[in-house]
Coordinates of all heavy atoms in Angstrom, one line a residue:
P176 N 0.8 -1.2 0.0 CA 0.0 0.0 0.0 C 0.9 1.3 0.0 O 0.5 2.3 -0.5 CB -0.8 -0.1 1.3 CG -0.2 -1.2 2.1 CD 0.6 -2.0 1.2
W177 N 2.0 1.2 0.6 CA 2.9 2.4 0.7 C 3.4 2.8 -0.7 O 3.4 3.9 -1.1 CB 4.1 2.2 1.6 CG 3.7 2.4 3.0 CD1 3.1 1.5 3.9 CD2 4.0 3.5 3.8 NE1 3.0 2.0 5.1 CE2 3.5 3.3 5.1 CE3 4.6 4.8 3.6 CZ2 3.6 4.2 6.2 CZ3 4.7 5.7 4.6 CH2 4.2 5.4 5.9
R178 N 3.8 1.7 -1.5 CA 4.4 2.0 -2.8 C 3.4 2.7 -3.7 O 3.7 3.7 -4.4 CB 4.8 0.6 -3.4 CG 5.3 0.8 -4.9 CD 5.9 -0.5 -5.4 NE 7.1 -0.9 -4.8 CZ 8.3 -0.3 -5.0 NH1 8.4 0.6 -5.9 NH2 9.4 -0.8 -4.4
E179 N 2.2 2.1 -3.8 CA 1.1 2.7 -4.6 C 0.8 4.1 -4.1 O 0.7 5.0 -5.0 CB -0.1 1.8 -4.5 CG -1.2 2.3 -5.5 CD -2.4 1.3 -5.4 OE1 -2.2 0.1 -5.7 OE2 -3.5 1.8 -5.2
H180 N 0.6 4.3 -2.8 CA 0.3 5.6 -2.3 C 1.4 6.7 -2.6 O 1.1 7.8 -3.1 CB 0.1 5.5 -0.8 CG -0.1 6.8 -0.1 ND1 -1.2 7.6 -0.2 CD2 0.8 7.5 0.7 CE1 -1.1 8.7 0.5 NE2 0.1 8.7 1.1
L181 N 2.7 6.3 -2.4 CA 3.8 7.2 -2.6 C 3.9 7.6 -4.1 O 4.2 8.7 -4.5 CB 5.1 6.7 -2.1 CG 5.2 6.6 -0.6 CD1 6.4 5.9 -0.2 CD2 5.2 8.0 0.0
A182 N 3.6 6.6 -5.0 CA 3.7 6.8 -6.4 C 2.6 7.8 -6.9 O 2.8 8.7 -7.6 CB 3.6 5.5 -7.2
E183 N 1.4 7.5 -6.4 CA 0.2 8.3 -6.8 C 0.2 9.7 -6.3 O -0.1 10.7 -7.0 CB -1.1 7.6 -6.4 CG -1.4 6.3 -7.3 CD -2.7 5.6 -6.8 OE1 -3.4 6.1 -5.9 OE2 -2.9 4.5 -7.3
R184 N 0.5 9.8 -5.0 CA 0.4 11.1 -4.3 C 1.7 12.0 -4.5 O 1.6 13.2 -4.5 CB 0.1 10.9 -2.8 CG -0.1 12.1 -2.1 CD -0.7 11.9 -0.7 NE -0.8 13.2 0.0 CZ -0.9 13.3 1.3 NH1 -0.9 12.2 2.0 NH2 -1.0 14.5 1.8
H185 N 2.8 11.3 -4.6 CA 4.1 12.1 -4.6 C 5.0 11.8 -5.8 O 6.0 12.4 -5.9 CB 4.9 11.8 -3.3 CG 4.1 12.1 -2.0 ND1 3.8 13.4 -1.6 CD2 3.5 11.3 -1.1 CE1 3.1 13.3 -0.5 NE2 2.9 12.1 -0.2
G186 N 4.6 10.9 -6.6 CA 5.4 10.5 -7.8 C 6.7 9.8 -7.4 O 7.6 9.7 -8.2
V187 N 6.7 9.2 -6.2 CA 7.9 8.5 -5.7 C 7.8 7.0 -6.2 O 6.9 6.3 -5.9 CB 8.0 8.5 -4.2 CG1 9.1 7.6 -3.7 CG2 8.2 10.0 -3.7
T188 N 8.9 6.6 -6.9 CA 8.9 5.2 -7.4 C 10.2 4.5 -7.1 O 10.5 3.4 -7.5 CB 8.7 5.1 -8.9 OG1 9.6 5.9 -9.6 CG2 7.3 5.6 -9.3
S189 N 11.1 5.2 -6.4 CA 12.4 4.6 -6.1 C 12.9 5.1 -4.7 O 12.3 6.1 -4.1 CB 13.5 5.1 -7.1 OG 13.7 6.5 -7.0
G190 N 13.9 4.4 -4.2 CA 14.5 4.9 -2.9 C 15.1 6.3 -3.0 O 14.9 7.1 -2.0
A191 N 15.7 6.6 -4.1 CA 16.2 7.9 -4.3 C 15.1 9.0 -4.3 O 15.3 10.1 -3.7 CB 17.1 8.0 -5.6
G192 N 14.0 8.6 -4.9 CA 12.9 9.5 -4.9 C 12.3 9.7 -3.5 O 11.9 10.9 -3.1
L193 N 12.3 8.7 -2.7 CA 11.8 8.8 -1.4 C 12.7 9.6 -0.5 O 12.3 10.5 0.2 CB 11.6 7.4 -0.8 CG 11.1 7.3 0.7 CD1 9.8 8.0 0.9 CD2 11.0 5.8 1.1
A194 N 14.0 9.4 -0.7 CA 15.0 10.2 0.0 C 14.9 11.7 -0.3 O 14.9 12.6 0.6 CB 16.4 9.7 -0.2
A195 N 14.7 12.0 -1.6 CA 14.5 13.4 -2.0 C 13.2 14.0 -1.4 O 13.3 15.1 -1.0 CB 14.5 13.4 -3.6
L196 N 12.1 13.2 -1.4 CA 10.9 13.7 -0.8 C 11.1 14.0 0.6 O 10.7 15.1 1.1 CB 9.8 12.7 -1.0 CG 8.5 13.0 -0.3 CD1 7.8 14.2 -0.9 CD2 7.5 11.8 -0.4
L197 N 11.7 13.1 1.4 CA 11.9 13.3 2.8 C 12.8 14.6 3.1 O 12.5 15.3 4.0 CB 12.6 12.1 3.4 CG 11.6 10.9 3.5 CD1 12.4 9.6 3.9 CD2 10.5 11.1 4.5
L198 N 13.8 14.8 2.2 CA 14.6 16.0 2.4 C 13.9 17.3 2.0 O 13.9 18.2 2.8 CB 15.9 15.8 1.7 CG 16.9 16.9 1.8 CD1 17.4 17.1 3.3 CD2 18.1 16.7 0.9
D199 N 13.3 17.2 0.8 CA 12.7 18.5 0.3 C 11.5 18.9 1.1 O 11.3 20.1 1.3 CB 12.3 18.3 -1.2 CG 13.5 18.1 -2.1 OD1 14.7 18.4 -1.7 OD2 13.3 17.6 -3.2
R200 N 10.6 17.9 1.4 CA 9.4 18.3 2.1 C 9.5 18.4 3.6 O 8.8 19.2 4.2 CB 8.3 17.2 1.7 CG 7.0 17.6 2.2 CD 5.9 16.7 1.6 NE 4.6 17.0 2.2 CZ 3.5 16.5 1.8 NH1 3.5 15.6 0.8 NH2 2.4 16.8 2.4
Y201 N 10.3 17.6 4.2 CA 10.4 17.5 5.6 C 11.7 17.9 6.3 O 11.8 17.9 7.5 CB 10.0 16.1 6.1 CG 8.6 15.6 5.6 CD1 8.5 14.8 4.5 CD2 7.5 16.0 6.3 CE1 7.2 14.4 4.1 CE2 6.2 15.6 5.8 CZ 6.1 14.8 4.7 OH 4.9 14.4 4.3
G202 N 12.7 18.1 5.5 CA 14.0 18.4 6.0 C 14.7 17.2 6.7 O 15.6 17.4 7.5
V203 N 14.3 16.0 6.3 CA 14.8 14.8 6.9 C 15.8 14.2 5.9 O 15.5 13.8 4.8 CB 13.7 13.7 7.2 CG1 14.3 12.4 7.7 CG2 12.8 14.3 8.3
G204 N 17.1 14.1 6.3 CA 18.1 13.6 5.5 C 18.4 12.1 5.7 O 18.6 11.7 6.8
V205 N 18.2 11.4 4.6 CA 18.5 9.9 4.7 C 19.2 9.5 3.4 O 19.2 10.3 2.4 CB 17.1 9.1 4.8 CG1 16.4 9.4 6.1 CG2 16.2 9.4 3.6
L206 N 19.6 8.3 3.3 CA 20.2 7.8 2.1 C 19.4 6.7 1.5 O 18.8 5.9 2.3 CB 21.6 7.2 2.4 CG 22.7 8.2 2.7 CD1 24.0 7.5 3.1 CD2 23.0 9.1 1.5
P207 N 19.2 6.6 0.2 CA 18.4 5.5 -0.4 C 19.2 4.2 -0.2 O 20.4 4.2 -0.2 CB 18.3 5.9 -1.9 CG 19.5 6.8 -2.1 CD 19.7 7.5 -0.8
A208 N 18.5 3.1 -0.1 CA 19.1 1.8 0.0 C 20.0 1.5 -1.2 O 20.9 0.7 -1.0 CB 18.0 0.7 0.2
S209 N 19.7 2.1 -2.3 CA 20.6 1.8 -3.5 C 22.0 2.3 -3.3 O 22.9 1.8 -3.9 CB 20.0 2.5 -4.7 OG 19.9 3.9 -4.5
A210 N 22.2 3.2 -2.3 CA 23.6 3.7 -2.0 C 24.3 2.5 -1.3 O 25.6 2.6 -1.2 CB 23.5 4.9 -1.1
F211 N 23.6 1.5 -0.9 CA 24.2 0.4 -0.2 C 24.1 -0.9 -1.0 O 24.2 -2.0 -0.4 CB 23.6 0.2 1.2 CG 23.8 1.5 2.1 CD1 22.9 2.5 2.1 CD2 25.0 1.6 2.8 CE1 23.1 3.6 2.8 CE2 25.2 2.8 3.5 CZ 24.3 3.8 3.6
G212 N 23.8 -0.8 -2.3 CA 23.8 -1.9 -3.2 C 22.4 -2.5 -3.5 O 22.4 -3.5 -4.2
E213 N 21.4 -2.0 -2.9 CA 20.0 -2.5 -3.3 C 19.6 -2.0 -4.6 O 20.1 -1.0 -5.1 CB 19.0 -2.2 -2.2 CG 19.4 -2.9 -0.9 CD 18.2 -3.1 0.0 OE1 17.1 -3.4 -0.4 OE2 18.4 -2.8 1.2
E214 N 18.6 -2.6 -5.2 CA 18.0 -2.1 -6.5 C 17.4 -0.7 -6.3 O 16.9 -0.4 -5.3 CB 16.9 -3.1 -6.9 CG 17.4 -4.5 -7.3 CD 18.2 -4.5 -8.5 OE1 18.0 -3.7 -9.4 OE2 19.2 -5.3 -8.5
E215 N 17.5 0.1 -7.4 CA 17.0 1.5 -7.4 C 15.5 1.5 -7.0 O 15.0 2.4 -6.4 CB 17.1 2.1 -8.8 CG 18.4 2.9 -9.0 CD 18.5 4.1 -8.0 OE1 17.6 4.8 -7.8 OE2 19.6 4.2 -7.5
S216 N 14.7 0.5 -7.5 CA 13.3 0.5 -7.3 C 12.9 0.2 -5.8 O 11.7 0.4 -5.5 CB 12.6 -0.5 -8.2 OG 13.1 -1.8 -7.9
V217 N 13.8 -0.2 -5.0 CA 13.5 -0.6 -3.6 C 13.1 0.7 -2.8 O 13.9 1.7 -2.8 CB 14.7 -1.3 -2.9 CG1 14.4 -1.5 -1.4 CG2 14.9 -2.6 -3.6
L218 N 12.0 0.7 -2.2 CA 11.6 1.9 -1.4 C 12.0 1.8 0.0 O 11.2 1.7 1.0 CB 10.0 2.1 -1.5 CG 9.5 2.6 -2.8 CD1 7.9 2.7 -2.7 CD2 10.1 3.9 -3.1
R219 N 13.3 1.8 0.2 CA 13.9 1.7 1.5 C 15.0 2.8 1.6 O 15.6 3.2 0.6 CB 14.6 0.4 1.8 CG 13.6 -0.7 2.3 CD 14.4 -1.8 2.9 NE 15.0 -2.7 1.8 CZ 14.4 -3.6 1.2 NH1 13.1 -3.9 1.5 NH2 15.0 -4.4 0.3
V220 N 15.1 3.4 2.8 CA 16.2 4.3 3.1 C 16.9 3.9 4.4 O 16.4 3.1 5.1 CB 15.6 5.8 3.2 CG1 14.9 6.2 2.0 CG2 14.6 5.8 4.4
R221 N 18.0 4.5 4.5 CA 18.8 4.3 5.8 C 19.0 5.6 6.5 O 19.2 6.7 5.9 CB 20.2 3.7 5.4 CG 20.0 2.4 4.7 CD 21.0 1.4 5.2 NE 20.8 0.1 4.5 CZ 21.8 -0.7 4.3 NH1 23.0 -0.5 4.8 NH2 21.5 -1.9 3.7
V222 N 18.8 5.5 7.8 CA 18.9 6.7 8.6 C 20.1 6.6 9.5 O 20.4 5.5 10.1 CB 17.6 6.8 9.5 CG1 17.7 8.0 10.4 CG2 16.4 6.9 8.6
A223 N 20.9 7.7 9.7 CA 22.0 7.7 10.6 C 21.5 8.0 12.0 O 21.2 9.2 12.2 CB 23.1 8.7 10.1
S224 N 21.5 7.1 12.8 CA 20.9 7.3 14.2 C 21.9 8.0 15.1 O 21.5 8.6 16.1 CB 20.5 6.0 14.8 OG 21.7 5.1 14.9
G225 N 23.1 8.1 14.7 CA 24.1 8.8 15.5 C 23.7 10.3 15.8 O 24.1 10.9 16.8
L226 N 23.0 10.9 14.9 CA 22.6 12.3 15.0 C 21.6 12.5 16.1 O 21.4 13.6 16.6 CB 22.1 12.8 13.7 CG 23.1 12.9 12.5 CD1 22.4 13.3 11.2 CD2 24.2 13.8 12.9
L227 N 20.9 11.4 16.5 CA 19.9 11.5 17.6 C 20.5 11.6 18.9 O 19.9 12.1 19.8 CB 19.0 10.2 17.6 CG 18.1 9.9 16.4 CD1 17.5 8.5 16.6 CD2 17.1 10.9 16.3
Y228 N 21.8 11.3 19.1 CA 22.4 11.3 20.4 C 22.6 12.7 21.0 O 22.7 12.8 22.2 CB 23.8 10.6 20.3 CG 23.7 9.1 20.0 CD1 24.7 8.5 19.2 CD2 22.6 8.3 20.4 CE1 24.6 7.2 18.9 CE2 22.6 7.0 20.1 CZ 23.6 6.4 19.3 OH 23.5 5.1 19.0
G229 N 22.6 13.7 20.2 CA 22.7 15.0 20.7 C 23.6 15.9 19.9 O 24.4 15.4 19.1
D230 N 23.6 17.2 20.2 CA 24.4 18.2 19.5 C 25.7 18.4 20.2 O 26.6 19.0 19.6 CB 23.6 19.5 19.4 CG 22.4 19.3 18.5 OD1 22.4 18.5 17.5 OD2 21.4 20.0 18.7
T231 N 25.8 18.1 21.5 CA 27.0 18.4 22.3 C 27.6 17.1 22.8 O 26.9 16.0 22.9 CB 26.7 19.3 23.5 OG1 25.8 18.5 24.4 CG2 26.0 20.5 23.1
G232 N 28.9 17.1 23.2 CA 29.5 16.0 23.7 C 28.8 15.5 25.0 O 28.7 14.3 25.3
E233 N 28.3 16.5 25.8 CA 27.6 16.1 27.0 C 26.3 15.4 26.7 O 26.0 14.4 27.4 CB 27.3 17.4 27.8 CG 26.7 17.2 29.1 CD 26.4 18.5 29.9 OE1 27.4 19.0 30.5 OE2 25.3 19.0 29.8
Q234 N 25.6 15.8 25.8 CA 24.3 15.1 25.4 C 24.6 13.7 24.9 O 23.9 12.8 25.2 CB 23.5 15.9 24.3 CG 22.8 17.1 24.8 CD 22.0 17.8 23.8 OE1 22.3 17.7 22.6 NE2 20.9 18.5 24.1
R235 N 25.6 13.6 24.0 CA 26.0 12.3 23.5 C 26.4 11.3 24.6 O 26.0 10.2 24.6 CB 27.0 12.4 22.4 CG 26.5 13.1 21.1 CD 27.5 13.1 20.0 NE 28.6 14.0 20.2 CZ 28.6 15.3 19.9 NH1 27.6 15.8 19.3 NH2 29.7 16.0 20.1
E236 N 27.2 11.8 25.5 CA 27.6 10.9 26.6 C 26.4 10.5 27.5 O 26.3 9.4 27.9 CB 28.7 11.6 27.5 CG 30.0 11.6 26.8 CD 31.1 12.1 27.7 OE1 31.1 11.9 28.9 OE2 32.1 12.8 27.1
E237 N 25.5 11.5 27.7 CA 24.3 11.1 28.5 C 23.5 10.1 27.8 O 22.9 9.2 28.4 CB 23.5 12.4 28.8 CG 22.4 12.2 29.8 CD 21.6 13.5 30.1 OE1 22.1 14.6 29.8 OE2 20.5 13.3 30.7
A238 N 23.3 10.3 26.5 CA 22.5 9.4 25.7 C 23.1 8.0 25.7 O 22.4 7.0 25.9 CB 22.4 9.9 24.3
L239 N 24.4 7.9 25.6 CA 25.0 6.6 25.6 C 25.0 5.9 26.9 O 25.0 4.6 27.0 CB 26.5 6.7 25.0 CG 26.6 7.1 23.6 CD1 28.0 7.4 23.2 CD2 26.1 6.0 22.7
A240 N 24.9 6.6 28.0 CA 24.9 6.1 29.3 C 23.5 5.8 29.8 O 23.3 5.1 30.8 CB 25.7 7.0 30.3
A241 N 22.5 6.4 29.2 CA 21.1 6.3 29.7 C 20.6 4.9 29.5 O 20.8 4.2 28.5 CB 20.2 7.3 28.9
G242 N 19.8 4.5 30.5 CA 19.1 3.2 30.5 C 18.0 3.2 29.5 O 17.6 2.2 28.9
D243 N 17.4 4.4 29.3 CA 16.3 4.6 28.3 C 16.6 5.9 27.5 O 16.0 6.9 27.8 CB 15.0 4.7 29.0 CG 13.8 4.9 28.1 OD1 13.9 4.6 26.9 OD2 12.7 5.4 28.5
P244 N 17.5 5.8 26.5 CA 17.8 7.0 25.8 C 16.6 7.6 25.1 O 16.6 8.9 24.9 CB 18.9 6.5 24.8 CG 18.9 5.1 24.9 CD 18.2 4.6 26.1
A245 N 15.6 6.9 24.7 CA 14.5 7.5 24.0 C 13.7 8.4 24.9 O 12.9 9.2 24.5 CB 13.6 6.3 23.5
G246 N 13.9 8.3 26.2 CA 13.2 9.2 27.2 C 13.9 10.5 27.3 O 13.3 11.4 27.9
L247 N 15.1 10.7 26.8 CA 15.8 12.0 26.9 C 15.1 13.0 26.0 O 14.7 12.6 24.9 CB 17.2 11.8 26.5 CG 18.1 10.9 27.4 CD1 19.5 10.7 26.9 CD2 18.2 11.6 28.8
P248 N 14.9 14.2 26.4 CA 14.1 15.2 25.7 C 14.5 15.4 24.2 O 13.7 15.4 23.3 CB 14.2 16.5 26.5 CG 14.7 16.1 27.8 CD 15.4 14.8 27.7
W249 N 15.8 15.5 23.9 CA 16.2 15.7 22.6 C 16.1 14.5 21.7 O 15.8 14.7 20.5 CB 17.7 16.3 22.5 CG 18.7 15.3 23.1 CD1 19.4 14.4 22.4 CD2 19.1 15.3 24.5 NE1 20.3 13.8 23.3 CE2 20.1 14.2 24.6 CE3 18.7 15.9 25.6 CZ2 20.7 13.9 25.7 CZ3 19.3 15.6 26.8 CH2 20.3 14.6 26.9
I250 N 16.2 13.3 22.2 CA 16.0 12.1 21.5 C 14.5 11.9 21.3 O 14.0 11.6 20.1 CB 16.6 10.9 22.1 CG1 18.1 11.1 22.1 CG2 16.2 9.6 21.4 CD1 18.9 10.0 22.8
A251 N 13.7 12.1 22.3 CA 12.2 12.0 22.2 C 11.7 12.9 21.2 O 10.8 12.6 20.4 CB 11.6 12.2 23.6
A252 N 12.2 14.2 21.1 CA 11.7 15.1 20.1 C 12.0 14.7 18.7 O 11.2 14.8 17.8 CB 12.3 16.5 20.4
S253 N 13.2 14.2 18.5 CA 13.6 13.7 17.2 C 12.7 12.5 16.7 O 12.3 12.4 15.6 CB 15.1 13.3 17.1 OG 15.9 14.4 17.3
L254 N 12.5 11.6 17.6 CA 11.7 10.4 17.3 C 10.2 10.8 17.1 O 9.6 10.3 16.2 CB 11.8 9.4 18.4 CG 13.1 8.7 18.6 CD1 13.1 7.8 19.8 CD2 13.5 8.0 17.4
S255 N 9.8 11.8 17.8 CA 8.4 12.3 17.6 C 8.3 13.0 16.2 O 7.3 12.8 15.5 CB 8.0 13.3 18.7 OG 6.8 13.8 18.5
R256 N 9.3 13.7 15.8 CA 9.3 14.4 14.5 C 9.3 13.3 13.4 O 8.5 13.4 12.4 CB 10.6 15.2 14.4 CG 10.8 15.8 13.0 CD 9.9 16.9 12.6 NE 10.3 17.4 11.3 CZ 9.4 17.5 10.3 NH1 8.2 17.2 10.4 NH2 9.9 18.0 9.1
L257 N 10.1 12.3 13.6 CA 10.1 11.2 12.6 C 8.7 10.5 12.5 O 8.2 10.2 11.4 CB 11.2 10.2 12.9 CG 11.4 9.1 11.9 CD1 11.7 9.6 10.5 CD2 12.6 8.2 12.4
E258 N 8.1 10.3 13.7 CA 6.8 9.7 13.7 C 5.8 10.6 13.0 O 4.9 10.1 12.2 CB 6.4 9.5 15.2 CG 5.0 8.8 15.3 CD 4.7 8.6 16.8 OE1 5.1 9.3 17.6 OE2 4.0 7.6 17.0
D259 N 5.9 11.9 13.2 CA 5.0 12.8 12.5 C 5.1 12.8 11.0 O 4.2 12.8 10.2 CB 5.2 14.3 13.0 CG 4.7 14.5 14.4 OD1 4.0 13.6 14.9 OD2 5.1 15.5 15.0
V260 N 6.4 12.7 10.5 CA 6.7 12.6 9.1 C 6.1 11.4 8.5 O 5.4 11.4 7.5 CB 8.2 12.7 8.8 CG1 8.5 12.3 7.4 CG2 8.7 14.1 9.2
L261 N 6.3 10.2 9.1 CA 5.8 9.0 8.6 C 4.3 9.0 8.6 O 3.6 8.4 7.7 CB 6.4 7.8 9.4 CG 7.8 7.6 9.3 CD1 8.3 6.5 10.2 CD2 8.2 7.3 7.8
A262 N 3.7 9.5 9.7 CA 2.2 9.6 9.7 C 1.7 10.5 8.6 O 0.6 10.1 8.0 CB 1.7 10.2 11.1
D263 N 2.4 11.5 8.2 CA 1.9 12.4 7.1 C 2.0 11.7 5.8 O 1.2 11.9 4.9 CB 2.7 13.7 7.1 CG 2.2 14.7 6.2 OD1 1.0 15.1 6.3 OD2 2.9 15.2 5.3
L264 N 3.0 10.8 5.7 CA 3.3 10.1 4.4 C 2.4 8.8 4.3 O 2.2 8.3 3.2 CB 4.7 9.7 4.3 CG 5.7 10.7 3.9 CD1 7.1 10.2 3.9 CD2 5.4 11.3 2.5
A265 N 1.9 8.4 5.3 CA 1.2 7.1 5.4 C 0.0 7.1 4.4 O -0.7 8.1 4.3 CB 0.7 6.7 6.8
P266 N -0.3 5.9 3.8 CA -1.5 5.7 3.0 C -2.8 5.8 3.8 O -2.8 5.6 5.0 CB -1.3 4.3 2.4 CG -0.1 3.7 3.0 CD 0.5 4.7 3.9

């Protein structure tokens, strides 16, 4: 259902197209799976999760030491933003 929806609504038919849509429309930078050897037509992307850890050395150290890093405000905000983007794109 995602493939058909993305093609009809956004003209997305490849991982590169999906990556471009995510960057242009939502400011979310990802790489298409084709950058890692998958077929161009695969609608998969890869996300660098290291950016979630924080903007400062202190935040990154706290995230790496946390028992529940998703509960930290800056990580929770990033995950919430990603959830919003996916909800907006959903069929």
